[in-house]
Amino acid sequence: MSNAYFNIQEPKNEPYFSFAPETPQRESLKKRLKELKSQVIEIPAIINGKEVRTSDTLDVSMPHNHKHKLATLYLCGEKEVNMAIEANLAAQKKWAAMPWEERVAIFQKAADLVTGPWRDTMNASTMLGQSKTPHQAEIEAAGELADFLRFGAWYLAKIMADQPYSPDGIWNRVEYRPLEGFVFALSPFNFTAIAGNLPSAPAMCGNVCLWKPSTESVYSNYFFMKILKEAGLPDGVINFVPGRGANVGDPVFASPHFSGLHFTGSEPTFNTLWQTIADNIGNYKTYPRIVGETGGKDFIFAHNSADIDALVVATIRAAFEYQGQKCSAASRMYVPISIWPQFKDKLLGEVAKIKVGDVEDFTNFMGAVIGKKAFESITGYIDHAREASDAEILAGGEYDDSVGYFIQPTVILAKNPKYRTMEEEIFGPVLTIYVYKDEEFEEAMDLCDTTSPFALTGAIFAKDRYVLKKMSDRFRQSAGNFYINEKPTGAVVNQQPFGGSRKSGTNDKAGSVINMLRWLSARSIKEARVAPKDWRYPYME
Ligand code: NAD
């Protein structure tokens, strides 16, 4: 039994290694990359702490060298989902009764394992399996993942301490219970940190979780599952159930014990999931919590007072880092005609210097896109632009999937502000720019706000402070993460809580108190010290 109040120290964001030449971290990472590449591992499901293999298998390979196999993945279906739900329910009582500080200690330890002995493995597996450069892997598979776990623990401690007012004679309390049933954590391919956080945040709050990772990032995600085990997570609290979308999703949503969805992924998938939950609503024992962070059509909007060099750097990083496969990646841009010639020359000059290729060659800025389906979809947009009368490809446009799924950074000029690559989420290294007349600044802002159904991230660039204020007000609902003279990517836990509104999701801000509260169900307790003995009120006299 606890007999004291325990403090969770306010964490600091994990610092990043540079991997510059001659640094020991560079050598150590390279060594781990070599080791992982030299073996083909097996990735079973982990249900109740046991490895489960099925007859349905899938080869996991490297996006930048698709003939190189990294792992054999065992895919789950209805039978394994039901086993996992049973294991979750069996683990629930003990886990929910565990004091919160004991629970979070497991995830704090997992964070230290991620940034310590497992750091190279997390980075190397994210580089190989998801085609990230060392920097892109480090900032999330090590840094952001550890931040999610450490700050999650700290947020939970703050929530627990938040208690109501008690007048004389009464003791009011609020108890923060986990949800009854299990939480379904459903993760996307593009961030190892998000994948790790989706089951971990609810589990810290005392929930049991069924985690289905994306088959496209399962390689790094499996190593995180091993870290949780090493950190002491009891069997059955988080079950790792890889599989194809609906093969896992449908039996999950059919369970009366389904009590919450923690999802990050695309908007069409989220719509399908929400509809399925709605169709089953009569079967559930509790109204499920639905948290979903979805797509974006993120913008950079420049005013003619913008610093052009800063704008060029922000544009390149936001549009092309991780091959444009960040939900926050800039994919449409508005530039005034007065600065366009100068901006265009500088931007195209820099884009021409970007190197695309194998992420093990540290001179590359970009790797491959995640897989064949993504490659075909992205190149379909490029081909459309090549043929369209209202669009022109200014840079890039080339692609080649003979070795890996490589697409050159592509810049499209849209003559029509509603051209399809200005509107639709492409999720690849494709940036579309619309050039507006300076005197039509207001109309251009209206266009930016209304062109896409999403409202995830957006950035404005200007030096004029009146203009910055005006733009900030005009775009109040256009982005959940809004940047001023800064690129719209790279949100940091506890600094810029992340999430968008409109069709970008429920905006429950991953890595914040707001998100943690969604996994708790409060019980209000009122205790009278001296109870009244007469049922009549004074006015009745
Ligand atoms: P996705 O929607 O294709 O898949 C997400 C997960 O859902 C995967 O695990 C997939 O297997 C699963 N899934 C798909 N259909 C399902 C079904 N019917 N039942 C159950 N599960 C199902 O997304 P993705 O391609 O992995 O990720 C990219 C998307 O995620 C982009 O749209 C991106 O903008 C978005 N994203 C958003 C954020 C954010 O914070 N807003 C962060 C990262 C990624």
Side-chain angles (χ1 to χ4, degrees):
M1 273 314 278
S2 312
N3 60 3
Y5 290 109
F6 301 114
N7 279 338
I8 302 283
Q9 193 75 26
E10 180 174 351
K12 291 195 176 61
N13 292 111
E14 176 67 21
Y16 310 140
F17 293 143
S18 73
F19 302 110
E22 318 286 320
T23 57
Q25 294 87 18
R26 184 180 175 107
E27 291 321 306
S28 170
L29 176 61
K30 286 200 163 183
K31 187 166 156 266
R32 192 67 185 125
L33 282 163
K34 217 172 182 181
E35 282 165 6
L36 286 183
K37 258 180 78 180
S38 67
Q39 40 183 292
V40 177
I41 64 162
E42 298 214 323
I43 305 183
I46 308 282
I47 300 173
N48 208 19
K50 314 263 173 332
E51 295 186 353
V52 175
R53 288 173 174 75
T54 62
S55 54
D56 188 6
T57 59
L58 186 76
D59 286 351
V60 176
S61 57
M62 303 199 295
H64 45 276
N65 183 356
H66 44 60
K67 293 207 172 62
H68 188 113
K69 184 174 167 182
L70 293 168
T72 302
L73 171 66
Y74 294 89
L75 295 161
C76 297
E78 188 175 355
K79 181 175 158 218
E80 294 74 31
V81 168
N82 289 332
M83 280 164 64
I85 294 173
E86 234 172 75
N88 274 152
L89 297 177
Q92 185 173 33
K93 205 168 163 197
K94 215 167 161 189
W95 183 242
M98 174 112 123
W100 66 267
E101 66 271 11
E102 302 290 338
R103 286 197 312 257
V104 302
I106 295 169
F107 294 92
Q108 289 178 307
K109 175 166 178 171
D112 286 5
L113 292 171
V114 165
T115 55
W118 284 81
R119 191 176 196 124
D120 283 337
T121 302
M122 291 312 289
N123 282 334
S125 61
T126 300
M127 288 175 69
L128 297 176
Q130 287 139 270
S131 203
K132 294 209 173 192
T133 60
H135 175 69
Q136 290 302 314
E138 166 76 1
I139 59 174
E140 66 101 358
E144 189 180 20
L145 178 52
D147 285 354
F148 273 136
L149 301 172
R150 292 178 181 142
F151 282 98
W154 184 59
Y155 296 140
L156 191 64
K158 293 211 294 189
I159 292 171
M160 294 293 166
D162 189 13
Q163 292 295 323
Y165 164 74
S166 295
D168 289 348
I170 300 289
W171 187 18
N172 289 325
R173 281 169 282 168
V174 168
E175 184 190 4
Y176 298 93
R177 305 167 299 178
L179 310 180
E180 265 191 301
F182 69 94
V183 172
F184 184 28
L186 191 47
S187 53
F189 79 82
N190 64 336
F191 281 94
T192 306
I194 294 178
N197 183 51
L198 290 182
S200 297
M204 266 188 244
C205 297
N207 295 283
V208 286
C209 299
L210 191 154
W211 174 23
K212 190 199 92 60
S214 163
T215 51
E216 292 174 316
S217 62
V218 70
Y219 187 59
S220 60
N221 295 183
Y222 179 62
F223 288 113
F224 181 63
M225 193 61 201
K226 283 177 169 275
I227 290 175
L228 289 176
K229 176 103 179 156
E230 190 176 324
L233 187 75
D235 292 346
V237 170
I238 294 177
N239 293 305
F240 180 79
V241 190
R244 294 191 180 86
N247 290 357
V248 173
D250 288 352
V252 163
F253 294 126
S255 167
H257 303 285
F258 164 69
S259 66
L261 171 66
H262 201 192
F263 173 78
T264 300
S266 66
E267 182 233 347
T269 303
F270 191 45
N271 290 346
T272 306
L273 304 177
W274 196 305
Q275 188 61 56
T276 308
I277 295 168
D279 291 343
N280 287 322
I281 198 71
N283 301 334
Y284 301 135
K285 294 192 164 186
T286 180
Y287 284 104
R289 299 274 170 94
I290 303 178
V291 172
E293 306 305 338
T294 63
K297 187 68 191 172
D298 310 300
F299 63 86
I300 296 180
F301 193 105
H303 179 253
N304 57 23
S305 67
D307 175 329
I308 292 181
D309 291 332
L311 188 61
V312 169
V313 171
T315 304
I316 286 181
R317 287 186 167 169
F320 302 126
E321 275 182 326
Y322 193 37
Q323 297 78 265
Q325 300 172 117
K326 297 187 184 190
C327 46
S328 54
S331 65
R332 61 188 169 119
M333 190 170 185
Y334 299 80
V335 180
I337 200 158
S338 60
I339 64 166
W340 171 239
Q342 207 190 343
F343 173 70
K344 178 184 165 189
D345 280 358
K346 286 194 171 179
L347 179 73
L348 299 188
E350 293 306 313
V351 169
K353 295 178 195 160
I354 293 176
K355 274 185 68 194
V356 181
D358 192 322
V359 292
E360 278 186 87
D361 173 352
F362 285 18
T363 62
N364 285 324
F365 181 72
M366 288 169 55
V369 300
I370 193 70
K372 191 174 167 59
K373 207 167 133 227
F375 182 84
E376 285 170 356
S377 159
I378 300 161
T379 56
Y381 280 101
I382 294 175
D383 292 345
H384 189 276
R386 217 188 303 281
E387 302 298 321
S389 58
D390 47 0
E392 180 190 346
I393 297 179
L394 299 181
E398 301 90 26
Y399 47 81
D400 179 2
D401 66 348
S402 50
V403 178
Y405 301 107
F406 294 112
I407 301 177
Q408 293 300 317
T410 298
V411 180
I412 297 173
L413 178 69
K415 293 164 195 158
N416 163 12
K418 301 264 173 154
Y419 178 62
R420 65 184 287 211
T421 61
M422 287 296 284
E423 288 189 333
E424 296 170 25
E425 183 178 54
I426 301 171
F427 225 57
V430 180
L431 170 72
T432 309
I433 303 176
Y434 176 69
V435 178
Y436 68 89
K437 295 192 184 108
D438 294 47
E439 61 276 20
E440 290 175 5
F441 175 61
E442 301 278 346
E443 291 85 342
M445 283 198 294
D446 288 345
L447 264 177
C448 178
D449 179 43
T450 56
T451 294
S452 125
F454 297 111
L456 190 51
T457 77
I460 55 170
F461 278 77
K463 283 188 197 132
D464 184 322
R465 197 78 213 180
Y466 284 122
V467 166
L468 283 175
K469 173 78 174 82
K470 180 182 245 187
M471 290 161 100
S472 188
D473 290 346
R474 180 63 193 85
F475 293 133
R476 187 150 188 251
Q477 295 288 355
S478 319
N481 280 59
F482 190 65
Y483 296 82
I484 299 175
N485 293 324
E486 169 66 298
K487 69 180 165 67
T489 55
V492 174
V493 175
N494 202 45
Q495 295 189 33
Q496 301 94 23
F498 194 79
S501 49
R502 293 185 183 159
K503 287 295 190 168
S504 290
T506 53
N507 200 17
D508 288 295
K509 296 293 185 203
S512 79
V513 169
I514 300 170
N515 179 282
M516 299 300 275
L517 283 168
R518 299 285 278 141
W519 309 117
L520 295 162
S521 176
R523 180 168 80 132
S524 296
I525 303 168
K526 176 183 177 185
E527 181 175 341
R529 294 209 179 95
V530 184
K533 294 284 164 59
D534 186 351
W535 60 270
R536 281 166 300 217
Y537 292 106
Y539 77 88
M540 296 165 74
E541 282 168 16

